[in-house]
Amino acid sequence: MAPSAVQDVDLTASAVQEKTSISTAPADSPKALDASQLITTLTSNPRSVPTEKEANAGLETVCTDHMVTATWSLSKGWAAPELKPYGPLSLLPTASCLHYATECFEGLKVYRGYDGKLRIFRPDRNAQRFRMSAARISLPVFEPEEVVKLMMALLSVDGPKWLPKDKPGSYLYIRPTLIGTDGQLGVQAPKAAMMYIMVTFMPRLDTPEGGLRLHTSPEDMVRAWVGGFGYAKVGANYGPSLMATQDARLRGFHQILWLYGPNGECTEAGASNFFVVWKRKDGKKELITAPLDDKLILDGVTRRSCLEIVREKLAGEIEVTERKYSIDEVLEADAEGRILEAFAAGTAYFVCAISQIHHRGQDVNIPMGREGAPGEITNKVKTWLGDIMYGRTQHEWGVVIPEKE
Ligand SMILES: *Cc1c(COP(=O)(O)O)cnc(C)c1O
């Protein structure tokens, strides 16, 4: 094979790799993102905190008092980040993100623990993924650690008020976002960008009545493809999926189970990773989920945590497998009575038991626990992870936010 043909295979992968491996810049080069330079301007108009119910009842997502912003330009690099009152952004109508989908985001939750402490879950993982997504769409990169510090700074200001100590078990959602702001309509990598981080309410999605019901994706639609960008949390992955999701909702389902390729490989459930617990033909119990290697699916922090914790705590009891598997294998296992459980895992849905999959006119009914509770394995995973998030178990994945008393 000619050398160029070899190189072409992973040109994107190596470009993203190279961008994300830049760490400390030389002194004369554009400035790196630096959380220690944070400029704080507190709001003079603090709002009252709504109840969870009130907050989630309106059409608009309710945010806390403050947000963090940081601007970047090609010539100057990152300006000092600012913590300031939450409010509208000002953008030119020509801004790159509004035309060419130069937008990526992250999503994680902040939890008020039963021990009174405020925690975020594995934020280093989200920050690394944020940088990878940014690199994939030619937005500026940064040290992931700086984004973690900025999130923590924002949460130490808004956390005590918006997630008070007398409400253990409650949470808010953190949405770091990065957009190309370049006011130049030419189709090119943005020369200006803005990162912003906000903290919002989000409804609880992990216990839909009767379990989560999935509808497989339409035959003529895929969410992501090999060589595409399904593995990056870029806005461009979501807009085009909304039509199928809306259609599934009208038919009484919660989310789409996205299939891929002529064999109908199971990939993800909505914007969550998808897991099946079944008995293999050899009788062995297995937890199975789609692999990361062909870059079709998002490397979910919840997914990774589910896999790691089951491998650790249920070793010998259940095999954990990341491989391609098709909807036909699921149908076959169902026909043979081998399906034990299924669940979706992601920040929004947390660990959510699935009760039904509808595929081309056929229903697969999946066992759940008693009285609509999650099945045994789903429930164990959910409990183990929930205990870390809410401080019932001390674990390095639960990162405590320092709060001013
Ligand atoms: C965000 C997301 C997930 C879940 O990732 P977490 O890190 O667990 O929140 C899974 N799939 C898609 C497509 C997503 O956008």
Side-chain angles (χ1 to χ4, degrees):
M1 227 190 295
S4 61
V6 174
Q7 193 192 19
D8 270 358
V9 173
D10 58 16
L11 206 57
T12 311
S14 50
V16 170
Q17 176 104 53
E18 192 181 321
K19 269 198 95 168
T20 54
S21 65
I22 302 163
S23 52
T24 36
D28 61 339
S29 67
K31 278 214 173 76
L33 182 65
D34 182 356
S36 72
Q37 304 220 315
L38 186 67
I39 300 162
T40 298
T41 312
L42 296 180
T43 182
S44 53
N45 185 20
R47 282 170 287 131
S48 59
V49 179
T51 63
E52 227 176 272
K53 203 174 159 201
E54 286 164 352
N56 294 319
L59 291 176
E60 200 173 289
T61 295
V62 177
C63 297
T64 60
D65 287 322
H66 300 94
M67 63 181 180
V68 164
T69 64
T71 58
W72 172 90
S73 72
L74 184 62
S75 56
K76 299 205 184 91
W78 288 97
E82 292 180 66
L83 189 156
K84 60 190 188 189
Y86 173 79
L89 303 175
S90 171
L91 282 181
L92 288 171
T94 48
S96 169
C97 64
L98 301 176
H99 301 272
Y100 308 125
T102 48
E103 190 268 1
C104 63
F105 62 96
E106 269 305 322
L108 52 163
K109 282 175 177 164
V110 52
Y111 307 90
R112 176 59 75 184
Y114 289 94
D115 60 351
K117 290 187 177 151
L118 206 57
R119 281 183 184 77
I120 45 181
F121 186 76
R122 309 187 79 176
D124 53 319
R125 284 268 152 214
N126 291 89
Q128 279 175 37
R129 191 172 66 192
F130 195 28
R131 180 172 68 170
M132 177 277 292
S133 300
R136 179 65 184 82
I137 50 173
S138 302
L139 286 173
V141 292
F142 40 79
E143 275 305 304
E145 186 54 33
E146 299 305 306
V147 175
V148 175
K149 287 180 196 160
L150 291 173
M151 290 195 284
M152 291 182 69
L154 178 58
L155 293 170
S156 63
V157 171
D158 278 354
K161 171 178 164 182
W162 291 79
L163 275 182
K165 284 205 168 135
D166 62 1
K167 295 234 178 66
S170 55
Y171 66 83
L172 291 169
Y173 181 73
I174 313 158
R175 169 55 66 91
T177 312
L178 182 58
I179 55 175
T181 53
D182 219 295
Q184 158 63 266
L185 275 184
V187 183
Q188 59 180 346
K191 295 190 179 74
M194 179 192 280
M195 181 188 293
Y196 55 97
I197 307 173
M198 55 199 169
V199 182
T200 81
F201 280 85
M202 174 186 266
R204 286 176 197 266
L205 301 170
D206 62 330
T207 48
E209 193 157 344
L212 199 66
R213 289 185 305 279
L214 304 180
H215 193 293
T216 56
S217 47
E219 231 159 330
D220 60 352
M221 198 187 281
V222 289
R223 186 196 90 92
W225 47 94
V226 171
F229 39 87
Y231 63 100
K233 222 167 170 77
V234 296
N237 276 322
Y238 302 86
S241 76
L242 303 178
M243 194 160 67
T245 310
Q246 181 66 11
D247 198 46
R249 295 245 160 102
L250 292 174
R251 297 179 194 210
F253 296 87
H254 297 100
Q255 282 296 343
I256 297 285
L257 173 58
W258 291 101
L259 303 180
Y260 181 73
N263 298 328
E265 291 157 23
C266 299
T267 64
E268 301 200 64
S272 312
N273 295 109
F274 174 70
F275 294 76
V276 176
V277 183
W278 60 17
K279 259 201 188 117
R280 289 193 320 218
K281 291 196 175 189
D282 64 6
K284 181 93 193 156
K285 231 191 212 186
E286 184 175 59
L287 173 68
I288 188 165
T289 198
L292 300 176
D293 48 26
D294 55 7
K295 295 190 158 182
L296 274 176
I297 66 160
L298 205 88
D299 179 359
V301 180
T302 322
R303 173 190 181 278
R304 182 179 284 269
S305 306
C306 289
L307 295 174
E308 288 175 7
I309 214 149
V310 171
R311 279 188 177 122
E312 180 203 318
K313 294 196 188 271
L314 296 178
E317 202 177 310
I318 182 163
E319 206 137 306
V320 177
T321 304
E322 296 166 73
R323 72 156 168 92
K324 286 181 188 169
Y325 64 104
S326 68
I327 189 70
D328 287 341
E329 287 180 73
V330 173
L331 295 176
E332 188 188 13
D334 176 52
E336 294 170 2
R338 291 188 284 108
I339 297 196
L340 303 173
E341 299 172 39
F343 62 89
T347 297
Y349 277 86
F350 186 27
V351 175
C352 184
I354 293 167
S355 58
Q356 191 180 67
I357 300 169
H358 180 91
H359 178 64
R360 317 264 192 270
Q362 205 174 327
D363 283 333
V364 176
N365 291 311
I366 296 165
M368 302 253 299
R370 250 179 294 156
E371 287 163 24
E376 185 199 335
I377 304 294
T378 308
N379 198 45
K380 277 185 175 163
V381 173
K382 193 170 177 177
T383 305
W384 288 327
L385 297 182
D387 283 352
I388 296 171
M389 291 159 175
Y390 289 105
R392 290 192 190 95
T393 306
Q394 302 303 315
H395 193 286
E396 59 181 9
W397 291 349
V399 176
V400 175
I401 310 283
E403 292 176 90
K404 296 180 192 88
E405 289 301 323

